[in-house]
Short mmCIF file of all heavy atoms in Angstrom, two decimals:
data_model
loop_
_atom_site.label_atom_id
_atom_site.label_comp_id
_atom_site.label_asym_id
_atom_site.label_seq_id
_atom_site.Cartn_x
_atom_site.Cartn_y
_atom_site.Cartn_z
N LEU B 1 3.86 3.87 9.27
CA LEU B 1 3.83 3.61 7.99
C LEU B 1 2.76 4.59 7.38
O LEU B 1 1.63 4.40 7.55
CB LEU B 1 3.51 2.21 7.64
CG LEU B 1 3.32 1.73 6.11
CD1 LEU B 1 4.60 2.13 5.41
CD2 LEU B 1 3.10 0.32 6.00
N SER B 2 3.27 5.62 6.50
CA SER B 2 2.44 6.53 5.85
C SER B 2 2.47 6.37 4.33
O SER B 2 3.56 6.04 3.88
CB SER B 2 2.76 7.92 6.31
OG SER B 2 4.08 8.30 6.00
N CYS B 3 1.39 6.56 3.78
CA CYS B 3 1.30 6.41 2.24
C CYS B 3 0.50 7.69 1.79
O CYS B 3 -0.61 7.66 2.07
CB CYS B 3 0.68 5.11 1.84
SG CYS B 3 0.61 4.89 0.06
N ASP B 4 1.12 8.54 1.11
CA ASP B 4 0.52 9.73 0.62
C ASP B 4 0.84 10.08 -0.90
O ASP B 4 1.55 11.00 -1.15
CB ASP B 4 0.91 10.90 1.47
CG ASP B 4 0.20 12.16 1.17
OD1 ASP B 4 -0.97 12.07 0.68
OD2 ASP B 4 0.71 13.28 1.35
N PRO B 5 0.39 9.17 -1.82
CA PRO B 5 0.66 9.54 -3.21
C PRO B 5 -0.27 10.47 -3.69
O PRO B 5 -1.38 10.65 -3.23
CB PRO B 5 0.43 8.13 -3.94
CG PRO B 5 -0.60 7.42 -3.02
CD PRO B 5 -0.41 7.94 -1.62
N GLN B 6 0.06 11.08 -4.76
CA GLN B 6 -0.87 12.03 -5.54
C GLN B 6 -2.04 11.18 -6.14
O GLN B 6 -1.71 10.14 -6.62
CB GLN B 6 -0.24 12.79 -6.68
CG GLN B 6 0.84 13.84 -6.17
CD GLN B 6 1.53 14.47 -7.44
OE1 GLN B 6 1.20 14.21 -8.54
NE2 GLN B 6 2.30 15.59 -7.19
N PRO B 7 -3.18 11.68 -6.02
CA PRO B 7 -4.32 10.97 -6.62
C PRO B 7 -4.13 10.86 -7.99
O PRO B 7 -3.68 11.82 -8.78
CB PRO B 7 -5.56 11.65 -6.17
CG PRO B 7 -5.00 13.12 -5.90
CD PRO B 7 -3.68 13.01 -5.47
N GLY B 8 -4.75 9.85 -8.71
CA GLY B 8 -4.79 9.77 -10.17
C GLY B 8 -3.56 9.44 -10.78
O GLY B 8 -3.36 9.86 -12.07
N LEU B 9 -2.72 8.63 -10.27
CA LEU B 9 -1.52 8.20 -10.92
C LEU B 9 -1.82 6.91 -11.72
O LEU B 9 -1.99 5.78 -11.16
CB LEU B 9 -0.44 7.92 -9.83
CG LEU B 9 -0.04 9.08 -8.99
CD1 LEU B 9 1.14 8.60 -8.10
CD2 LEU B 9 0.64 10.11 -9.89
N ILE B 10 -2.16 7.13 -13.06
CA ILE B 10 -2.48 5.98 -13.85
C ILE B 10 -1.37 5.70 -14.75
O ILE B 10 -0.67 6.46 -15.40
CB ILE B 10 -3.64 6.31 -14.71
CG1 ILE B 10 -4.83 6.96 -13.81
CG2 ILE B 10 -4.20 5.29 -15.54
CD1 ILE B 10 -5.30 5.97 -12.81
N LEU B 11 -1.20 4.32 -14.96
CA LEU B 11 -0.35 3.83 -15.91
C LEU B 11 -0.79 2.48 -16.54
O LEU B 11 -1.66 1.88 -15.97
CB LEU B 11 1.12 3.59 -15.27
CG LEU B 11 1.35 2.29 -14.48
CD1 LEU B 11 2.79 2.00 -14.23
CD2 LEU B 11 0.76 2.44 -13.02
N MET B 12 -0.07 1.97 -17.61
CA MET B 12 -0.44 0.74 -18.29
C MET B 12 0.56 -0.20 -17.76
O MET B 12 1.76 -0.16 -17.95
CB MET B 12 -0.44 0.85 -19.71
CG MET B 12 -1.44 1.73 -20.29
SD MET B 12 -3.13 1.21 -19.85
CE MET B 12 -3.18 -0.29 -20.69
N GLY B 13 0.21 -1.28 -16.95
CA GLY B 13 1.07 -2.36 -16.41
C GLY B 13 0.35 -3.58 -15.97
O GLY B 13 -0.89 -3.81 -16.07
N ASP B 14 1.24 -4.45 -15.40
CA ASP B 14 0.61 -5.67 -14.81
C ASP B 14 0.54 -5.47 -13.25
O ASP B 14 1.46 -5.33 -12.54
CB ASP B 14 1.65 -6.90 -15.11
CG ASP B 14 1.13 -8.18 -14.53
OD1 ASP B 14 0.12 -8.65 -15.09
OD2 ASP B 14 1.83 -8.63 -13.55
N SER B 15 -0.77 -5.51 -12.84
CA SER B 15 -1.07 -5.20 -11.44
C SER B 15 -0.42 -6.22 -10.53
O SER B 15 0.16 -5.78 -9.46
CB SER B 15 -2.55 -5.12 -11.26
OG SER B 15 -3.19 -6.44 -11.59
N ASP B 16 -0.39 -7.48 -10.86
CA ASP B 16 0.18 -8.58 -9.88
C ASP B 16 1.67 -8.31 -9.75
O ASP B 16 2.15 -8.38 -8.57
CB ASP B 16 0.02 -9.99 -10.42
CG ASP B 16 -1.56 -10.27 -10.51
OD1 ASP B 16 -2.20 -9.65 -9.65
OD2 ASP B 16 -2.04 -11.24 -11.22
N SER B 17 2.34 -7.93 -10.73
CA SER B 17 3.78 -7.77 -10.68
C SER B 17 4.11 -6.39 -9.91
O SER B 17 5.10 -6.30 -9.24
CB SER B 17 4.43 -7.68 -12.16
OG SER B 17 4.21 -8.74 -12.91
N LEU B 18 3.28 -5.40 -10.10
CA LEU B 18 3.48 -4.15 -9.44
C LEU B 18 3.19 -4.31 -7.85
O LEU B 18 3.96 -3.71 -7.09
CB LEU B 18 2.66 -3.08 -9.91
CG LEU B 18 2.90 -2.64 -11.39
CD1 LEU B 18 1.81 -1.53 -11.89
CD2 LEU B 18 4.31 -2.03 -11.43
N ILE B 19 2.20 -5.14 -7.60
CA ILE B 19 1.85 -5.42 -6.11
C ILE B 19 3.15 -6.13 -5.60
O ILE B 19 3.61 -5.86 -4.56
CB ILE B 19 0.66 -6.28 -6.05
CG1 ILE B 19 -0.58 -5.48 -6.34
CG2 ILE B 19 0.47 -6.89 -4.64
CD1 ILE B 19 -1.87 -6.29 -6.41
N ARG B 20 3.72 -7.17 -6.31
CA ARG B 20 4.94 -7.87 -5.68
C ARG B 20 6.04 -6.86 -5.72
O ARG B 20 6.89 -7.09 -4.81
CB ARG B 20 5.14 -8.97 -6.73
CG ARG B 20 6.23 -9.94 -6.29
CD ARG B 20 6.59 -10.97 -7.29
NE ARG B 20 5.50 -11.70 -7.69
CZ ARG B 20 5.03 -11.66 -8.99
NH1 ARG B 20 5.59 -11.02 -10.00
NH2 ARG B 20 3.87 -12.38 -9.37
N LEU B 21 6.18 -5.98 -6.60
CA LEU B 21 7.26 -5.04 -6.54
C LEU B 21 7.15 -4.21 -5.24
O LEU B 21 8.26 -4.16 -4.37
CB LEU B 21 7.14 -4.01 -7.71
CG LEU B 21 8.00 -2.70 -7.68
CD1 LEU B 21 9.47 -2.94 -7.61
CD2 LEU B 21 7.56 -1.90 -8.88
N PHE B 22 5.96 -3.67 -4.95
CA PHE B 22 6.04 -2.69 -3.79
C PHE B 22 5.96 -3.40 -2.49
O PHE B 22 6.30 -2.83 -1.37
CB PHE B 22 4.82 -1.77 -4.01
CG PHE B 22 5.07 -0.72 -5.10
CD1 PHE B 22 4.32 -0.79 -6.24
CD2 PHE B 22 6.02 0.24 -4.98
CE1 PHE B 22 4.51 0.13 -7.39
CE2 PHE B 22 6.30 1.21 -6.06
CZ PHE B 22 5.56 1.07 -7.14
N VAL B 23 5.43 -4.66 -2.41
CA VAL B 23 5.39 -5.45 -1.32
C VAL B 23 6.84 -5.79 -0.94
O VAL B 23 7.24 -5.75 0.27
CB VAL B 23 4.56 -6.76 -1.45
CG1 VAL B 23 4.85 -7.67 -0.44
CG2 VAL B 23 3.15 -6.45 -1.45
N ASN B 24 7.73 -6.14 -1.97
CA ASN B 24 9.06 -6.48 -1.63
C ASN B 24 9.82 -5.14 -1.10
O ASN B 24 10.53 -5.35 -0.02
CB ASN B 24 9.75 -6.87 -2.86
CG ASN B 24 9.63 -8.39 -3.25
OD1 ASN B 24 9.39 -9.12 -2.31
ND2 ASN B 24 9.83 -8.75 -4.41
N LEU B 25 9.60 -3.99 -1.73
CA LEU B 25 10.20 -2.78 -1.22
C LEU B 25 9.74 -2.41 0.13
O LEU B 25 10.63 -2.04 0.95
CB LEU B 25 10.00 -1.70 -2.20
CG LEU B 25 10.54 -1.91 -3.61
CD1 LEU B 25 10.18 -0.79 -4.64
CD2 LEU B 25 12.05 -2.14 -3.63
N LEU B 26 8.47 -2.35 0.33
CA LEU B 26 8.08 -2.01 1.73
C LEU B 26 8.50 -3.14 2.77
O LEU B 26 8.74 -2.63 3.97
CB LEU B 26 6.36 -1.83 1.69
CG LEU B 26 5.88 -0.55 1.09
CD1 LEU B 26 4.41 -0.55 1.01
CD2 LEU B 26 6.35 0.62 1.97
N ASP B 27 8.43 -4.31 2.44
CA ASP B 27 8.73 -5.30 3.43
C ASP B 27 10.25 -5.23 3.71
O ASP B 27 10.68 -5.29 4.96
CB ASP B 27 8.51 -6.72 2.74
CG ASP B 27 8.89 -7.87 3.69
OD1 ASP B 27 8.27 -7.93 4.74
OD2 ASP B 27 9.95 -8.56 3.43
N ASN B 28 11.06 -4.94 2.75
CA ASN B 28 12.63 -4.63 3.05
C ASN B 28 12.66 -3.41 3.96
O ASN B 28 13.45 -3.42 4.85
CB ASN B 28 13.27 -4.32 1.79
CG ASN B 28 13.91 -5.63 1.23
OD1 ASN B 28 13.79 -6.71 1.86
ND2 ASN B 28 14.51 -5.51 0.15
N ALA B 29 11.91 -2.39 3.59
CA ALA B 29 11.98 -1.06 4.47
C ALA B 29 11.67 -1.33 5.87
O ALA B 29 12.22 -0.92 6.92
CB ALA B 29 11.15 0.00 3.85
N ILE B 30 10.53 -2.05 6.18
CA ILE B 30 10.17 -2.37 7.47
C ILE B 30 10.99 -3.26 8.18
O ILE B 30 11.46 -3.16 9.39
CB ILE B 30 8.69 -2.93 7.40
CG1 ILE B 30 7.71 -1.98 6.96
CG2 ILE B 30 8.22 -3.46 8.79
CD1 ILE B 30 6.37 -2.61 6.62
N LYS B 31 11.68 -4.19 7.41
CA LYS B 31 12.44 -5.33 8.03
C LYS B 31 13.83 -4.61 8.60
O LYS B 31 14.28 -5.05 9.70
CB LYS B 31 12.78 -6.26 6.96
CG LYS B 31 13.72 -7.47 7.55
CD LYS B 31 14.14 -8.40 6.38
CE LYS B 31 12.87 -9.02 5.67
NZ LYS B 31 13.18 -10.00 4.59
N PHE B 32 14.22 -3.69 7.97
CA PHE B 32 15.57 -3.13 8.26
C PHE B 32 15.58 -1.81 9.10
O PHE B 32 16.55 -1.18 9.29
CB PHE B 32 16.47 -2.90 7.12
CG PHE B 32 16.87 -4.26 6.30
CD1 PHE B 32 16.30 -4.55 5.14
CD2 PHE B 32 17.63 -5.15 6.93
CE1 PHE B 32 16.67 -5.72 4.50
CE2 PHE B 32 17.89 -6.39 6.32
CZ PHE B 32 17.44 -6.66 5.08
N THR B 33 14.19 -1.47 9.49
CA THR B 33 14.08 -0.23 10.17
C THR B 33 13.73 -0.55 11.73
O THR B 33 12.79 -1.25 11.96
CB THR B 33 12.99 0.68 9.57
OG1 THR B 33 13.26 0.95 8.21
CG2 THR B 33 12.73 1.89 10.43
N LYS B 34 14.48 -0.11 12.64
CA LYS B 34 14.25 -0.58 14.05
C LYS B 34 13.49 0.55 14.70
O LYS B 34 12.78 0.18 15.72
CB LYS B 34 15.65 -0.81 14.78
CG LYS B 34 16.35 -1.88 14.13
CD LYS B 34 17.76 -2.08 14.88
CE LYS B 34 18.45 -3.26 14.48
NZ LYS B 34 19.76 -3.42 15.12
N CYS B 35 13.63 1.86 14.38
CA CYS B 35 12.87 2.92 15.01
C CYS B 35 12.43 3.99 13.92
O CYS B 35 13.10 4.07 12.83
CB CYS B 35 13.53 3.43 16.20
SG CYS B 35 15.16 4.20 15.73
N GLY B 36 11.42 4.69 14.22
CA GLY B 36 11.06 5.70 13.26
C GLY B 36 9.81 5.24 12.38
O GLY B 36 8.84 4.87 12.87
N GLY B 37 10.00 5.15 11.07
CA GLY B 37 8.92 4.70 10.19
C GLY B 37 9.27 4.71 8.75
O GLY B 37 10.48 4.99 8.40
N VAL B 38 8.30 4.48 8.07
CA VAL B 38 8.53 4.22 6.46
C VAL B 38 7.47 5.09 5.99
O VAL B 38 6.24 5.19 6.37
CB VAL B 38 8.23 2.86 6.00
CG1 VAL B 38 8.43 2.66 4.57
CG2 VAL B 38 9.26 1.87 6.83
N THR B 39 7.96 5.86 4.85
CA THR B 39 7.00 6.80 4.13
C THR B 39 6.97 6.45 2.69
O THR B 39 8.00 6.32 2.04
CB THR B 39 7.55 8.32 4.30
OG1 THR B 39 7.68 8.63 5.69
CG2 THR B 39 6.48 9.32 3.57
N VAL B 40 5.85 6.50 2.15
CA VAL B 40 5.55 6.16 0.70
C VAL B 40 4.99 7.36 0.04
O VAL B 40 3.87 7.90 0.40
CB VAL B 40 4.71 4.96 0.46
CG1 VAL B 40 4.58 4.57 -1.03
CG2 VAL B 40 5.23 3.67 1.11
N THR B 41 5.52 7.93 -0.92
CA THR B 41 4.89 9.06 -1.85
C THR B 41 4.98 8.63 -3.16
O THR B 41 5.75 7.90 -3.60
CB THR B 41 5.75 10.29 -1.58
OG1 THR B 41 7.03 10.16 -1.90
CG2 THR B 41 5.60 10.70 -0.10
N GLY B 42 4.12 9.30 -3.93
CA GLY B 42 4.10 9.17 -5.44
C GLY B 42 3.64 10.47 -6.10
O GLY B 42 2.78 11.16 -5.53
N ARG B 43 4.29 10.72 -7.27
CA ARG B 43 3.94 12.01 -7.98
C ARG B 43 4.14 11.71 -9.46
O ARG B 43 4.70 10.79 -9.96
CB ARG B 43 4.85 13.18 -7.51
CG ARG B 43 6.37 12.88 -7.83
CD ARG B 43 7.24 14.02 -7.23
NE ARG B 43 8.68 13.81 -7.43
CZ ARG B 43 9.36 13.06 -6.73
NH1 ARG B 43 8.94 12.43 -5.61
NH2 ARG B 43 10.69 12.97 -6.97
N SER B 44 3.54 12.65 -10.19
CA SER B 44 3.64 12.63 -11.65
C SER B 44 4.60 13.52 -12.14
O SER B 44 4.68 14.79 -11.77
CB SER B 44 2.28 12.78 -12.32
OG SER B 44 2.37 12.80 -13.75
N GLU B 45 5.50 13.16 -12.93
CA GLU B 45 6.53 14.07 -13.60
C GLU B 45 6.67 13.81 -15.01
O GLU B 45 7.10 12.79 -15.45
CB GLU B 45 7.93 13.87 -13.01
CG GLU B 45 7.85 14.18 -11.47
CD GLU B 45 9.26 13.78 -10.83
OE1 GLU B 45 10.03 13.18 -11.43
OE2 GLU B 45 9.65 14.26 -9.76
#
């Protein structure tokens, strides 16, 4: 499980909801992956 987002990604939002969002997504990715891994990236566009 690797996480490599660009530093300084700032937004206005609800932190609890965002934590729940990415926990759900990462938990799904781990649950349905049998071999290999999961990669998390983030960037500003």
Side-chain angles (χ1 to χ4, degrees):
L1 175 58
S2 64
C3 181
D4 186 24
Q6 288 181 358
L9 300 179
I10 306 297
L11 78 158
M12 297 300 295
D14 178 66
S15 59
D16 292 338
S17 297
L18 293 174
I19 290 173
R20 188 181 307 117
L21 163 67
F22 293 111
V23 166
N24 275 340
L25 296 179
L26 280 175
D27 181 66
N28 268 356
I30 295 172
K31 183 186 301 182
F32 297 111
T33 301
K34 295 182 179 180
C35 60
V38 178
T39 303
V40 181
T41 60
R43 62 183 181 275
S44 176
E45 297 177 344

